[in-house]
């Protein structure tokens, strides 16, 4: 029974984040249907498609693009007892053709990061595309605020899935507070990765760090790794936020305060973009013993999530 529960959880995750071929393959495996049987059930619904095409779809060798193929995908959702549009949306979100169906729903990083030009410059120095071929399926982040109200450090344990072949690195982004000395920011590769090149932009306090994996990932592979940014150079911190370019996955953010600097009020918030009004604001209670607040988001949407606090 435990195995079936795990498979169901994996299928639910793949239906949220993709890629399409892995979601289809997981559904076929969980339902225990041979491709010939699926072909027969589709034929009963007036859909004619070859077993070879179905096989190519689940292998990722081809993807449905033509209108008749997309109709077959909608019928597949019925045959495999999946939620309506769950497979279809991995190919054509919101009724619009999607050039890279292997990726989950995404939003441009320019709409999420305030110093977009600085970040673009740093990525260019690393010769790294903005879409590094990975999307996050799980992220637990812990932020430490020091006795001077400064952002002391942030630690991440991250689970990613590749949506293309050959990915062997992740570029992590850190933005310090006003007055941050980027040359003094230290980066540590904590688990399942090695530290590569590090670049900083002094004017905006942005630091990017290349985290190298020991193996190249294939599309659909997952990887768990951890890293730490140690800062402490900037002025007083009043919030911590993270932008998400891709939909799906779980995010946990914990902010812990030094006993010498406790805020008088904490609240979580969300934004659709860097300049948009904040929504979903909710008061958070600071735990007395551990001096921490946290948020948990089960199904992340493209946009921004964060925690803000007020000093007395």
């Amino acid at each position: 029974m435990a195995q079936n529960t795990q498979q169901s959880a994996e299928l639910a995750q793949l239906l949220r984040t993709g890629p399409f071929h892995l979601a289809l393959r997981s559904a076929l495996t969980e339902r225990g249907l041979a491709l010939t049987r699926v072909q027969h059930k589709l034929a009963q619904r007036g859909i004619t498609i070859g077993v070879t095409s179905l096989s190519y779809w689940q292998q990722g060798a081809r993807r449905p693009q033509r209108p008749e193929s997309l109709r077959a995908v909608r019928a597949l959702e019925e045959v495999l007892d999946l939620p309506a549009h769950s497979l279809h949306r991995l190919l054509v979100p919101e009724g619009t053709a999607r050039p890279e169906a292997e990726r989950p729903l995404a939003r441009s990083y320019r709409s999420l990061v305030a110093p977009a030009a600085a970040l673009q410059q740093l990525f260019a120095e690393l010769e790294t595309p903005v879409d590094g071929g990975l999307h996050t399926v799980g992220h637990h982040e812990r932020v430490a605020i020091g006795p001077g109200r400064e952002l002391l450090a942030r630690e991440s344990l991250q689970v990613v899935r590749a949506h293309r072949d050959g990915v062997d690195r992740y570029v992590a982004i850190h933005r310090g507070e006003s007055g941050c000395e980027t040359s003094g920011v230290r980066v540590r590769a904590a688990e399942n990765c090695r530290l590569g090149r590090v670049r900083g932009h002094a004017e905006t306090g942005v630091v990017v760090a290349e985290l190298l994996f020991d193996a190249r990932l294939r599309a659909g592979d997952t990887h768990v790794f951890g890293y730490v940014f140690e800062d402490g150079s900037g002025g007083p911190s009043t919030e911590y936020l993270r932008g998400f370019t891709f939909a799906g996955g779980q995010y946990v953010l914990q902010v812990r305060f030094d006993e010498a600097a406790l805020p008088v009020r904490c609240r979580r918030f969300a934004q659709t973009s860097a300049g948009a009004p904040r929504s979903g604001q909710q008061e958070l209670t600071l735990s007395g013993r551990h001096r921490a607040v946290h948020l948990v988001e089960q199904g992340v949407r493209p946009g921004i999530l964060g925690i803000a606090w007020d000093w007395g």
Side-chain angles (χ1 to χ4, degrees), residues 32-44 51 54 79:
L33 289 176
L35 293 183
T36 52
R37 183 62 177 161
V38 172
Q39 181 191 38
H40 176 70
K41 288 179 172 291
L42 289 174
Q44 291 178 327
V51 171
L54 292 172
V79 170

Side-chain angles (χ1 to χ4, degrees), residues 57-75:
W57 289 359
Q58 70 161 340
Q59 293 171 21
R62 294 180 185 173
R63 64 185 181 93
Q65 290 181 305
R66 296 179 300 175
E68 57 268 29
S69 297
L70 295 177
R71 285 195 295 271
V73 170
R74 297 291 296 274

